[in-house]
Structure formats: structure tokens, C-alpha cells
Amino acid sequence: MTPQGGMMMAAPGQSSGATIPLAVLIEYGLQRTYHDLVVLSELLPRKTDMDRKIDIFQFASRTRQLFVRLLALVKWANSASKVDKCMDICNFLEQQSMHFVETADSLFKMAKETLASARLPSFSLPCAIDVLTTGTYPRLPTCIRERIIPPDPITPQEKQQTLQRLNEVIQYRLVSNELPKQMRRIKIDQGRVKFYVEHEFEVTLTLMGDNPTIPWRLLDVNFLVEDNETGNGKSLVHSMQVHYIHELAQSRLLHVDHPLHDLYKFLHSFCQSLQLEVLHSQAQRLMSDRLRDSIRIEEYSLSKSLSISYWRDQLKKDKHQDVYTIHKLSVHVCEEDEGKPLQISHQPPMSPLESRKVGLAIKSDHLSIEKLLMQTIEVRTHSKLKELAREIQKMVDGKCDVCDMPVALHVSVLSPCMSAEVLRISIDVQTGSYMASVPCCDRSAVQGIEECLNGEHRGLEKLLMKLKVHLVLLRCEKCVQLMVASCRPSLPLINVSEHALAKLASTRLYVKVPKQYGIYVVVEVREGEMRKVEVNYYMLETTMCTADGAEDEIGEDNLVKAFMKAGQLTPIDTYSMVHGEFCKIFDGIPLTMDSLTRKRKIYLGECEEEPDPKRVKGSPYFVNELAYLLARCEEKLPFVFLGEELSKHGVSHDGGMLDGTGTSFSMSILYFPEILGLPEDVNDGLRKQLLQCRFRVHSRQPRLWVVEFVFNKSPVPSIHIKEKGPSQRICLSLDMNGDNVQKTVTDLLDEWTSIAYLYGCVMRFADSYNDARTGLSTMIEIQSYNYRKLTMAYGPNMCSLVSVAWRPTSKRFGLTLGTRLPSASANPHIPMLLQLTEEFNLHGSLAQLSQTLHDTWTPMMSVSKLPSAAILGASMHPRQHVQNFAVLPQSSSHVRIVCRNSHCLDVHFRGNKTVAVRDGAYSLFDTSKPIEGLYPTQGLKAFLSMFVDEGVTMGMGRQSTSADDNPPSPQPSELFMSSGQATGSPLSRQPGSQQGRQDGFRFHNPMTPPSNPHTPASPGSARLPAGVNPSPSTALMGTPSPGTLLTANSPSNPQLHVPSPGSFVAASPQSSLMSLHMQSPAASFMGPGMVDGGSPFPGSSLAMPSPGGARGGWVGSPSVQAPSPHTQQSPGHPALHSPQTHKDGDHKMAVVNPPSRILPQRAWAASIPTILSHKGFNTLLTPTPEPQQGAVQHPPASPLERFFACIIMRKHMVRVVNSESTITSVLSSEPGVTCFKVESMQFKITLNSTTSQSLHMKITPTPEYQDKWTAEELQILEKFFDLKAFCPPYKLNALTSIVRIVSAPYLIVKDCIQIMKLELMPDRSMKWTVQWCLTIPPPLHCISQVGGPAFVVKSKMIFMLQLTRIGLNVGSGEQSIVVPLLYEMQANKLVKVDLTRQTQANTPSMQANTPSLQAVGTMLNRFAEHYQQQNHSNECAILPAIKELLTNLVLPV
């Protein structure tokens, strides 16, 4: 023992005792304790509570004793060193004492025994002499040589001769003696003879001499009996047993006359005994492992026989009988001939043929009792099944064959019979009982047959007939599975006991008719006469209900309806159905009752003889009768339900029938009811046009009704190829809902209504279109008219399309606009689609619609050229989107064009290819009240006059000379101090004139054009007080102000202080469309109230409302996207939109705006319409390149856009001038001119008097700085303003930056002008070009909002430049950089703006860390240090620093 890590301890009294370290001993104790604990945890859960307590206590006690001993041992080990020393001393003394005793004993024995007879021989002198002289020892004794050195071996030749001689002796002995016939397989070699008996033994003999009396010598014996199943080929005889048998056989060879015969009998008997033992052990193993009680060892006699009984369960069933059979297999030794192998016998005896199949004797090559039993059972099974087949063949019509492996009896119950329908009867190997199965059926279908076969076979025929019925029903079920249908053996019916279903056979199948609700086909299969099967079909109607039979409690949202109530049960005559017209099920067979019955039985597998190939088509699982019946019901029932619903709505039909080709069912509509609201001639004409209407079913998914209309030739010619024949075919697709036929009929009647309404319009239009005098055929082209929709082409190239169709849902016509090739743009009438639709629903005249579209196509195409996209930077708020132009249609001949939410044009389309344009900011009836949110446009009349053709203005009279084209701005006057003083109207307004006007116009507009010389003057102008000019609407205006669409008493009209005379709520829509002045080709077919030579457009003085004014129920026109900078809503007044429909409660939401702005009382020129031709109007709105662009390329803009840009930017210039403290406004007597001055210059902003499409800046130095400015510098600044400030997209903040630049100190402005020169005229000797950033670019969004003014002058100045590399491509990201610069005026130092401040999200700007900007900042800092050292205190450092950058800046790669 090694205590405490190294001390070794031995047992007392033994110095060499075994020791063990103390640590190992403790580890052993711990491992043992852990092992006991693990075993205890596994065993305790299976024990009782008391046993668990006992085991736990024993474990604790045992463990405690172990560790107490270890503790004692550890305490003792502390003092073990002293004990070890004492023990070592004692052991050493004992060893010394033992050595003394052994020495004394050895000396005594040597003296008494060894030395007593010890004598020394005389000295051998000859040997010594030989060794000393010759060095050898030749006198060694011979005995020593003979004992140590072996004799020489015989040679191989002698050995071969000896063995050959011995082989001859053995051959002679074998020839001279008789050998057993089983031992005649011999081999003589090397003086030995080997006898081989297959699968028994192998023995080797030899002879010890050539004397005939010398007995055989047994050299070796080997037993060849093996047990391959359990022994794995190992030897079954032990070596000791082999040795004993070897000695016994050798002894018998010495004393018998025929030694070889005796040797064979001896060894053969032993091998047979060994074989029986092997079979016995295998049988025992089978009984214990697999077969158990199925076999039994009846008798085992050692070395004689083995008897085994099988099919023991069959024996138990037969014990109650007086005579029962025991099946037994016996293996025994043949007593007659001991040389034969083991014999096999059976009980009861087998026939010789069956015995030969099993085998008459055991085969020793593979001993297997299991194989022998299986062969015996197989032969027995064949015998029993053949006997059963002969019995069943009398009960069925099909074949009964015994085949397959394992052996089974196949009974064809049906004919023809599929492999899955064959009744298979086999015998259980272990029990010997019959087992029955049908692959396509479950266990319950054949369980009765199996019990009957294992019994007395009573009632077997009835059971086979029941199985036959079940298989026929299963065929029907599989046939349904092949189709799109579902079936079930039963339904949750609550009234089966009281219904006719109770009288049907229990073997029935419920097949749901596809796509039908609550309709089932009941298939009844029952036994017939002469072992035949009858199949009957019924139609069952069901309804969903609750458990107590209530039907009204089932709601629509109830997804699960658990019960049904059976309705009418109708037998189906299958004979008449499957033998009708176009039915080809029984083609080729004579139509006799016998043949039909036989055919039916063949399909159901009931015919005895083999069917003819013609009679078997496809799989027997496909029952043609049932398939055809389901298909017929699926196709016919929808027509039945549809016919009932059509009859309820008064639609006559033929009930449905097969087509002439027999391809499908169809139903013809014979008569449609009249459409209410249409004239009788329209209904009659449409019925005459209709040649045929037929319903068909589209069978593919989704399932649809296909309705085919055949009409006579269309009343209007169409260019569509399918509409040029004598008849026209139209096909509709309607949803087929099995449970909602009402919707189908409703959709059909809606389609018929749509056809009728459209036909009414086309019928009235046909006469005018076909009349060449109207000229409509030259204006439009009928693209298609399919009675559901009319599509017409119009325009110069007939490239614009309009489609008219009746909308059943809204009960009104709907228009659809489109284009076709070669059109390259959208339909220009799309903005006024709502107005066109509303007007067409009012008058319903296709002729008027055609005339309107034809005459307005050109001006609307011009209007569509205006840019309508929302842009950024068009206002002072950088983040605010402002729509450039917004087109607000008011009617089909009246649109409003709003520019940037501030200015408006009122455009009326007139006849004779003219349009009337006026300033839409003026009120129509009171020019002193502009519309809120809109501003009058100065100089508009003069600008529009530039586009007037002389031929258009001839005969229109001279305009008023007192009209002023420069009205004061409605904004505060202090913003326009340079525009001249705002004078009032030269006509003083009488105090009672306003009241007089209110009293005179409190009635609806009589809508009489006073300017027409053929009609009397309007009474409105006669009632006006003296000194007040009449409203422009009563003189030359064609449309009222948008505000007049709201009456004076409406709470939504707070801006109008005077009741508007233009409220057309009660005006007749026809009157607003019939007062015409323009020569029109459609005058001959207009209404009787039209003026000769009229047009569908309002006259020059007709105040025409929007179409919704008379109906009061249509949506408004689209509003402007961006809010107005003043009112934060769509441009100006809500009246700019089309008339809105308000409810009673909507008036409370009206916004109360500030009081109306009052303009001086005078007739402003822009409020009087300017008549333009279509060509001039197109020129006004078509984008063209800027007249003077110079080297700078700008996007094209229309003259109107440039004009409005001049007005807007001039107003913004005034606003900026008044907001800057360093700028002084200068009054100017010229209208429309803005003047201001700064420290060193005076500026004059004027409008181009020639084109009115551009602003120009005229600069003159102040007297103090007359000599400090050169003409070149002033020209550069003026040119820069023209090319960079006033250019598309006309950004206001760019103009702000220009004003701030010129308001800077003199030296700074001078350097800025030089930078402008570098931009306008780049110096190619420099590496970089420079461009001013007048607005903040996106890369510098961290400084301020993108799009804001990029020039700030306070105590310091911030501006931004864009540098672009010349002649060298340095990469896509570094070819151009934007540099923010900060100029410190006090220090005269230019540096880069520090961009390290963080954004609102507390993330540093991405632009701040770019290497390019770092290089720019480093270069500017270095240049500032160098520049200050040179003492340029009187010069500005901006230009030198910029030139340094442009010349020497190198960006890091």
C-alpha cells in the first residue's frame, strides 16, 4: 500500500507482499459507490415503496462501512513509516538466519553424500599431448558421438520408392478384399488410402507392411455432418469424442474378418444418430423461437426416429369431432437396409406423387427440419386447395385456379375480373386454417367467407353472392372516382325511415352530381335471379337542415351543415337514356332486350362466357352507364334550373335540347321582354335585328355560360372584319353558379338592356351618319359596333378612339378613350372624360358627341402639350412640389389652365376653329373681385394678341380703348412699389350701384347670347346702373366664372358678395347646348330648337355651365397636386373645379376665406376674351427652344410658360428686393418695370416688349462708382442673369441668389462677376471649369434644404461652386465636385465650409469626409496663409483663391 501519494506498505510478516497505492484504493471505493448508485437508480422505479426504502438503507449502510474503513486506513497510514522500518528490520534478520541454516545444510549434504564417492581419475597424458601439440582432441569416446550426432537421413529417391511400394501394397489389399458400396470413393496417395462417404464421414487408412495378415492402421477420421442453420458449419463432434471413436474403430479393425465393412457400419450408424440429433435440436429451437405451439415433438428415439406433429391449431378445432386428423412427419432409420439414409413418412399418408415432391429420404447435404416441414405443408396446402377449388367451382361462374407462390386459390367472382377483385384463399402455414382476402376490399368483406371455410362450409354460396354485390358496388365507386364527382355510402338524412329510400337495398351509393347543389344519383345494387346482380339508378333531391328538420335556421354564414332532408326520389330509366340519339355506348350490338341485358351484365362482370372484344372497351372499373348518367345530369340540370328562372322573368325559351351535331346541350331564347324607358320602335327594331339567342355551357374551368347572340347586319357600317357579313355573332360569358341562377338571368337581362340602350342611340345616329350631307362620315370612322359597345375613331388621322357602352350598374352610358397607331401620344380628351360622359348622358346624341370630339381635338391636343408634372424649386419653399400646369375641365368646350397655383387662363373652344382665351383670375360678372387664390396677369391681353390671326378678328368689332391691360396686383401694394401707383377705376361707383346690381341679378341667367345680332340683347346689361360697364360675360364671354356655379345663398360661397347671375341649377341642359353660332355640318340633324348653321358648342356670348349644373350629381375635375402658397389648397377658389355634389351637411365644412380683394372699377383688358385660331393656340402652348439661348442649352418651353414665368419671377423679384435691407427700391413710372439699387449699381428689370417671354436686367453704375465699373463687367452680369437666372425650370430661389450677389459689397461683387465670366467663357489653360450653384445641390443637403438659395451674405459670406475637370476623365464620381465656400470679410480669407456638424439624425454628413473636399480645404488654407503674407489688404481674396483652385487643384486618386 502506498499511503498519501507514494508510501508503500506490505503485509506484516511478508517482505514481498503485494501493495496498492492509497489513492487507487480510494478511487476504487468511489467507483464502486457510484456504480451501486447508478444500478440503484435504475432498479428502484420498478420496486414497491417499502423495497425502495430497504435498498436505499442497505446502500447507505454499506457505503458508510466502506468509507469508515477507508478513514481508519488513512489515519493509520499517517504512522505507518515506523511500522515499516520495524518490519524491514525483522525481515532482514529472518533472511540472514535463513541463509545460515541453508549454508549448514548444504555443507552437511556435500560431505556425507557428494564427496563420499568422489574420486579423481588418472591424468590422460596422451590427450594432453595431442591438445598441446596438434591443438585437436581426436580421442573423443564413440558413445558420445552416437548420442549427439544423428545418423544420415534417407534420400528422396528412397523415400519415393518406399511410398510407391506402399501404394501398391494398399491397392493389392483393396482389390483382393470386398469393399462396401458406399465406400467406393477412394484416393490412394503417399502410402495412404482415403475413403469418402458424402455428408457423413472421411477416413484415412494405411498398412505397416506388405504382409497380407497385417491389419489396417487407422490414421485419421473426419465427420462431415453439419448443422448450417445453428452451427454455422462448425464441427459437431468434440475432439475427445473423435479420439475415442478413433481408438474404438482401430480396435475393431484388428479382430474382424471384414474390417472395412465393419468400419462403415460403425461410422454410418454414428452419423445417422448425429443427423437425428441435429434435426431434434432444430425442432426444439423452432418450438422455442418461431413456431412455438404450432409444432410438437411427438417422439424421439435416440439413433432411431424423430416424429413431429404440425397444424396443431387445426387439431384443437377438430377435437370436438369424433374423428379428427393428426398431421405428423416422421424421420427414422431404415431397418431393412442399414446403408440407406434417413427415411421420411407422413400421417395421414400422402399419394406417391406428393411423397416424391417432399422426398422419400432425408437429404444429408443440408439438414433442415424447417425446410422439410415447409415442403410438407406446401404439398398438403396444394392438396387441400385443389379440393376446395372443385367445391367452389360449382358456386361461381368464373375460374378457380391454384397458383402463385405462396400457394393460393384464386376465385374470379366477376367476369371479367380484375386482379384486385380476385378472391384469394390461402392456408396459414402455422395453423392450417383458411385465409381469404380480396385486394380491393377490406377485412370485413371476406371475414364471413373465411369463417365459413374454417367451419362446415354451410352458406358459402350466399356469402360469395354478397361479395359479388359488394364488388359491383365498389366498381361503381371507382368509376365515380375517375370523374370529377364525389360519392359516399351514406348521407346524414333525418327522414330515411319515412322516405322511399328505406325500401331500397342497403348496398347503395350516393353520387353527388358535379357542380349541382343538393342533387344526388342513388346507385342501388342488389341480388338478382340466377346468381346475377341488378343495378338500379335514382335521382334524389336534398336540402340542408338542422337536426330537428328546420330549414330556415340555416344561415348563409353557416359553413358546416350537418344534416339533410331527403326530397323527391325519381327512378331513372337507364334504357331510354343510354339508347337515345347520339348515344354510342352500345354501338355494334343488336338492340334487343336479351343483348342489352347481356351487355349490361358484361359491364358488371356477370356474364359466364368470354366477352367479345367489341363488348369490352376500356377498364371494367369504368361503368359506362353510370358515367353517361352523371355526365347527362351534370349537363342537363343547369338548363332545367335556368329555364325555370327565365320563365319567372318573362323570357320565353325552348327548354333546352341537343345540338344538331350532338356535341352539347343548348337552350334557345324565343322572346325577350320589353325594356322599360325605351321607345317602342327601339324595342321592336332590336327584336327584328335579333336572329337567334342560344345558351351553351363552357365545360372547361372555370365553368361558364356562353350566350350566343346572332344579329342582322349592323345599321351603321363598320370597318371591323367580323362585322362586315350579313349577320353578326356576339358571344357573352356569364358566371355559372349552381346555387345562384338568379344572378345569371339578371346578368343576361342587364346585357340585353345594355344592347337595347346602345342600339337606340345607334339607330338614331345611323340616319345622320349614312347621310352624306351631314359630313359625319368624314369626321369619324366606325371602328366597331358589336351591339354591346360602339367604338369610333376621330381626329386628323383617325388615331383617337372613343368607345360608348351602357353600364348596367350605374344605369348610364360610359365613355372610354384611347388611341391607335400611328398616334404617338395619349388621347387629348382624357382630361375631360367625365364632362363628355355627363353631357352624353344628358343629350344621348352620338352625332353631337362626334361633332364635339371632332371640333375640340386640335385645341385639346395643344393643351395636352403643356407640362403637368409637379416640380421642386418653383416656389420659395424647396420641399414643396408645385404643379407646373393644371388643366381643369369645366365642360366639353371649356377648360381652365392654372399655372403654378397662381395664374389662370379661361379657355373656351368655339366654332370655326377658334378658341376664346381670357384671364381666369377675374370674376365673370364682376371684374373688381378676383377669385381667391388666383392673381390677375399683367400684360396678358398684349401677349395673347401676338398670336391672333387677322382673319379671325375680322368682323368682331373694335375693342374698348379704355380697357387696361395692367391691373393692380391683389397682393399688398408695398410689394410692388416699383410697378407704378395703383390707381382706381376712372368711373366712380355710386353708393347704390352695388345694391342695384344685386337687385337686378337675383334670377337665373336667361342664357340668351346678347352679342348675337340675330337675338335681342340680354336684359342684364340694360338693368346695370349708369357708369358701370357691363360684365365681360354679357359682352364677349362664353362661360361664367367658376364661382357662379354656387348660388349666392350657398354657405360654400363666402367670397361672392353679390349673387351670381350664372347659377345654372335649373337651366335646361339642352338650352345650354343648342344656342349655336358656328356653321356646323351637323345642323341638319340637330334638335328643332337649334339656330341655323349652329354648332354643338356654345356661342360667343353664351354663358354655358358645366354639365353637372343641371344634374347636380357628378364629380369634379382633378385639382392641382401642390397646395397654393397662399391658401394651401387647389388653385384659387373651389369653383375652379367642376360642379360638386354636396349633401346637406357638407355646407358646414366650407372654409371662410378673407374678404374678397376689390380691384378698381374698370374694364380690364385681360377679362375680355381674346379670340385665337387653332393654329395660334397651338403655337401658344407648344414647347419650343428659347429664342436666345446662346451657348447654354435649356429644355424647351412653351411661349405661355415663359410668359407666366416672367410674371411670377418679376413678382418674386419685388418680394426679394423689399426683404433685403441692403437693397433700395426705386419707383418707376413705367408699368411692369421693377427698379432697385444697391451700393454701386442700379438695376432695371423689364419684360421683353417684342416677345413678352423673357426678363432682362439693365444695369447702370451709380454716380459714385461710375468709374469703377467697366462696360464688360456690367454686360457679363446682364448675360449671366439672362442665361442662368431666368431659364427653365424658372427657380425662384436662383433669382434670390442673384439679388443677394449684387447686394454684396463692391469688391465681392466685382470678384463674383469675374467668376461668372469664367463660367460663361471658360479658360482652357486651366485644369478646371467653374459654375455657380444658385441653389443648394443635393450633395450639400447637410448645410440647408436642397433647392434653397445658395448665397448668403452677412458678416460672412457663403456660396457654392461646382468644379469640373477639363480634358481628363478621372472617374465617374470625381469628374465634377461641389465645393461649399466661406468668405470671412474681416480676415479677407476664403476657406471651405466645415461640414463636420451632424444632421438631425445625429449622423455625420457623408460629404464631409471625401478626399476631394479635404484636398480643396487644404489647398485653400495654404493659399490663405500665403496670400495674407503678401499683404493684399485692399483686394478681395475670392477671385485669386478660385483661380488657384482652377489652375492647380489635384485630387487624390
Side-chain angles (χ1 to χ4, degrees), residues 934-1162:
L934 297 179
Y935 309 116
T937 305
Q938 299 180 6
L940 178 61
K941 186 67 175 180
F943 173 71
L944 294 176
S945 300
M946 299 178 184
F947 301 91
V948 176
D949 296 339
E950 294 182 359
V952 175
T953 58
M954 292 179 62
M956 298 193 64
R958 188 175 60 86
Q959 297 182 1
S960 174
T961 57
S962 63
D964 191 355
D965 197 21
N966 295 288
S969 173
Q971 292 184 346
S973 58
E974 60 272 9
L975 298 181
F976 299 94
M977 295 178 63
S978 63
S979 301
Q981 59 183 4
T983 58
S985 174
L987 298 178
S988 59
R989 184 180 300 269
Q990 300 296 330
S993 62
Q994 183 70 20
Q995 182 65 30
R997 176 171 296 209
Q998 294 180 2
D999 296 340
F1001 283 92
R1002 286 191 179 273
F1003 53 84
H1004 297 296
N1005 194 324
M1007 302 181 65
T1008 304
S1011 61
N1012 192 343
H1014 301 285
T1015 56
S1018 173
S1021 58
R1023 294 195 182 108
L1024 291 177
V1028 177
N1029 292 332
S1031 173
S1033 63
T1034 61
L1036 294 171
M1037 197 57 214
T1039 303
S1041 171
T1044 61
L1045 300 178
L1046 301 174
T1047 60
N1049 297 326
S1050 172
S1052 298
N1053 191 14
Q1055 298 90 349
L1056 303 181
H1057 301 280
V1058 182
S1060 174
S1063 299
F1064 296 103
V1065 178
S1068 171
Q1070 297 294 336
S1071 62
S1072 65
L1073 299 170
M1074 297 303 178
S1075 299
L1076 310 172
H1077 294 271
M1078 186 182 67
Q1079 180 66 30
S1080 171
S1084 59
F1085 57 86
M1086 291 296 179
M1090 300 181 182
V1091 180
D1092 295 339
S1095 169
F1097 296 101
S1100 59
S1101 59
L1102 175 61
M1104 173 183 164
S1106 239
R1111 296 175 63 92
W1114 66 302
V1115 296
S1117 300
S1119 60
V1120 181
Q1121 296 180 3
S1124 172
H1126 301 283
T1127 59
Q1128 299 298 324
Q1129 54 183 335
S1130 260
H1133 192 263
L1136 285 177
H1137 301 274
S1138 296
Q1140 305 289 335
T1141 301
H1142 297 283
K1143 298 181 180 179
D1144 295 340
D1146 294 343
H1147 297 288
K1148 298 179 181 180
M1149 300 178 63
V1151 180
V1152 179
N1153 293 328
S1156 300
R1157 296 159 298 156
I1158 305 300
L1159 297 178
Q1161 185 62 30
R1162 67 169 63 178

Side-chain angles (χ1 to χ4, degrees), residues 698-834:
H698 183 267
S699 57
R700 296 183 180 179
Q701 295 296 334
R703 194 173 169 87
L704 301 172
W705 285 110
V706 178
V707 185
E708 180 187 22
F709 288 94
V710 180
F711 288 96
N712 203 347
K713 188 175 182 180
S714 173
V716 291
S718 171
I719 66 172
H720 199 281
I721 188 172
K722 294 183 179 180
E723 301 172 3
K724 292 183 178 181
S727 63
Q728 189 170 344
R729 190 180 305 273
I730 302 171
C731 293
L732 307 178
S733 296
L734 303 179
D735 293 337
M736 177 179 286
N737 300 319
D739 55 345
N740 191 6
V741 188
Q742 296 85 354
K743 183 178 183 302
T744 303
V745 177
T746 302
D747 292 344
L748 174 65
L749 294 178
D750 289 342
E751 290 291 344
W752 179 252
T753 304
S754 302
I755 292 173
Y757 273 97
L758 184 59
Y759 177 76
C761 293
V762 172
M763 187 177 66
R764 294 189 299 269
F765 174 67
D767 297 336
S768 302
Y769 182 78
N770 296 326
D771 189 355
R773 295 175 299 175
T774 61
L776 284 176
S777 57
T778 61
M779 297 181 188
I780 62 171
E781 183 179 68
I782 305 298
Q783 292 288 318
S784 172
Y785 173 57
N786 57 6
Y787 285 86
R788 299 178 63 199
K789 183 172 68 173
L790 173 66
T791 302
M792 299 184 295
Y794 63 97
N797 298 326
M798 297 296 173
C799 55
S800 298
L801 299 177
V802 58
S803 298
V804 183
W806 178 263
R807 306 288 173 80
T809 55
S810 59
K811 295 183 179 181
R812 54 188 289 142
F813 284 102
L815 301 185
T816 305
L817 299 176
T819 58
R820 65 169 185 171
L821 293 177
S823 176
S825 60
N827 194 309
H829 287 99
I830 289 178
M832 58 172 53
L833 176 61
L834 296 177

Side-chain angles (χ1 to χ4, degrees), residues 1300-1301 1304-1312 1315 1332 1343 1350-1361 1379-1394 1420-1421 1423-1424 1427-1428 1432-1442 1445:
R1300 290 180 179 178
I1301 290 175
Y1306 163 73
L1307 295 178
I1308 295 177
V1309 176
K1310 204 171 187 63
D1311 281 10
C1312 291
I1315 297 175
W1332 277 94
I1343 296 179
F1351 194 93
V1352 179
V1353 180
K1354 297 296 182 182
S1355 59
K1356 298 180 180 179
M1357 184 179 76
I1358 296 178
F1359 63 101
M1360 301 165 194
L1361 299 178
V1379 181
L1381 300 173
L1382 174 64
Y1383 176 65
E1384 300 177 3
M1385 299 181 184
Q1386 299 295 332
N1388 194 18
K1389 178 180 179 183
L1390 182 66
V1391 296
K1392 181 180 70 71
V1393 176
D1394 186 10
L1420 288 177
N1421 293 333
F1423 175 79
Y1427 191 77
Q1428 289 178 357
H1432 295 280
S1433 58
N1434 297 327
E1435 298 180 3
C1436 182
I1438 296 178
L1439 182 61
I1442 297 301
L1445 284 177

